[in-house]
Amino acid sequence: MKKERDFGKVLREIVKAAPELKDLESKAIFWAPEILWYNLSVHVNERIEPDSSSPKAVKVYSILCDCSEEEMKKRFKENGH
């Protein structure tokens, strides 16, 4: 069975990859536990365009989706990004 992901760690990794999302750290403290992951996904989707040619987008989405950067790039290409 896969271990539950640590939301705080994932958030910090995303902010490290995309410093322009730093404000999410102060917003996330007000999110109810049951919507943490949903809100993080919404905010990333609003501010980072999925793009297989963007190293930043590939990195951020691979962190968010818990997959390798190669897998994320493949998913983007399959979806026309």
Side-chain angles (χ1 to χ4, degrees):
M1 185 186 323
K2 199 168 188 177
K3 185 179 176 185
E4 186 175 329
R5 297 175 73 202
D6 179 317
F7 179 82
K9 182 179 178 190
V10 172
L11 178 59
R12 287 187 297 277
E13 288 178 14
I14 287 173
V15 169
K16 185 177 178 183
E20 65 270 26
L21 299 176
K22 178 130 180 81
D23 64 313
L24 292 182
E25 292 175 318
S26 60
K27 290 179 180 183
I29 61 173
F30 297 104
W31 297 341
E34 60 271 14
I35 60 169
L36 287 174
W37 293 103
Y38 173 79
N39 279 358
L40 181 59
S41 296
V42 167
H43 284 281
V44 167
N45 285 319
E46 287 176 348
R47 297 169 63 190
I48 305 289
E49 185 75 29
D51 181 356
S52 62
S53 67
S54 167
K56 181 188 292 188
V58 171
K59 177 77 172 176
V60 168
Y61 280 93
S62 71
I63 295 166
L64 181 64
C65 297
D66 196 23
C67 66
S68 70
E69 290 181 36
E70 294 78 22
E71 173 65 22
M72 195 72 251
K73 188 179 273 194
K74 179 182 169 213
R75 289 182 191 181
F76 279 163
K77 287 180 179 178
E78 287 173 352
N79 290 309
H81 299 290

